[in-house]
Amino acid sequence: MQYRICARFLPFRWSLVRNLLIAASVTTAIAVPPAFATASSRESCFSSSAASSNSTPTSSACSKMGDQPAAAEGSSGAGEFAYQAGSSSVAFVTTPDRESAKKLARSIIERKLAACVNIVPQIDSIYMWEGKVTEDSEYLMMVKTLTSRIDDLTKFVRENHPYSVAEVISLPIQNGNPPYLNWIAQTVPKKVESQD
């Protein structure tokens, strides 16, 4: 008996589903793409007047990290940035608590040893220490800098870290968002080689 009652409503359910699918396809076909996906939104972020030779962002809606307009293919404009794979790196540093992570991160940025430090809270670390398996809750710092500054960063962390053996490991950045990588290169001064 229940089968007949449910079957009675089956044509209604199918027509409802069909109508929903039709409405969804019509809505998708006429939907306007989001502003961040259109080329005109990118152009609105930058001055494109011929009278202005400045290619810096003119709108507060633009990124704070030095987004530059994309140069046309084959052009050699001043806004063009060709990233050299491995010239920037991300270093990982762990700390025992939030306060030491924030203090160390702020010091690293103030000394221009890095462009940005992200602090990831409460990671679980399991490691061998003094012959025993140890588990700790730590904070992970992700430090974006120039590869040429990793040694300076490592030295600074060793001198200012609460651990006797501070974790400082780095990986080269092979590729990424060109304006962001350009921002790292512009923010962190290159290492000055001494002439001894």
Side-chain angles (χ1 to χ4, degrees):
M1 194 70 160
Q2 288 180 346
Y3 177 78
R4 288 184 186 180
I5 293 171
C6 290
R8 189 174 83 196
F9 293 107
L10 190 58
F12 173 73
R13 289 182 184 162
W14 279 111
S15 63
L16 177 65
V17 169
R18 184 196 69 200
N19 290 343
L20 288 173
L21 289 172
I22 290 170
S25 65
V26 169
T27 305
T28 305
I30 61 171
V32 177
F36 62 83
T38 63
S40 62
S41 67
R42 179 148 174 85
E43 291 168 7
S44 69
C45 220
F46 303 99
S47 171
S48 60
S49 67
S52 174
S53 62
N54 187 356
S55 65
T56 59
T58 59
S59 169
S60 62
C62 296
S63 171
K64 295 178 185 176
M65 295 185 199
D67 280 354
Q68 298 296 322
E73 282 187 41
S75 72
S76 58
E80 206 173 310
F81 174 71
Y83 178 70
Q84 181 181 354
S87 61
S88 294
S89 288
V90 61
F92 299 103
V93 179
T94 53
T95 62
D97 53 47
R98 179 182 172 98
E99 293 75 29
S100 60
K102 287 183 80 170
K103 181 180 176 185
L104 194 56
R106 184 168 291 281
S107 297
I108 288 169
I109 297 300
E110 287 171 349
R111 285 166 179 74
K112 295 187 177 185
L113 293 171
C116 176
V117 178
N118 301 116
I119 299 173
V120 181
Q122 300 176 339
I123 60 166
D124 293 324
S125 295
I126 303 170
Y127 55 97
M128 186 67 72
W129 184 250
E130 297 178 345
K132 296 187 289 190
V133 175
T134 305
E135 290 188 34
D136 279 319
S137 179
E138 295 182 299
Y139 284 72
L140 175 66
M141 298 169 52
M142 298 180 354
V143 184
K144 275 75 80 181
T145 188
L146 295 178
T147 302
S148 64
R149 299 304 303 272
I150 291 293
D151 291 339
D152 297 332
L153 174 69
T154 303
K155 182 177 186 258
F156 179 79
V157 170
R158 277 196 328 254
E159 293 170 352
N160 295 281
H161 201 283
Y163 290 162
S164 59
V165 178
E167 174 186 359
V168 183
I169 57 174
S170 69
L171 299 169
I173 299 172
Q174 295 302 313
N175 202 351
N177 180 21
Y180 186 82
L181 298 172
N182 185 31
W183 172 72
I184 292 173
Q186 291 175 350
T187 304
V188 181
K190 294 185 180 7
K191 184 175 180 176
V192 179
E193 300 293 330
S194 61
Q195 302 291 331
D196 290 341

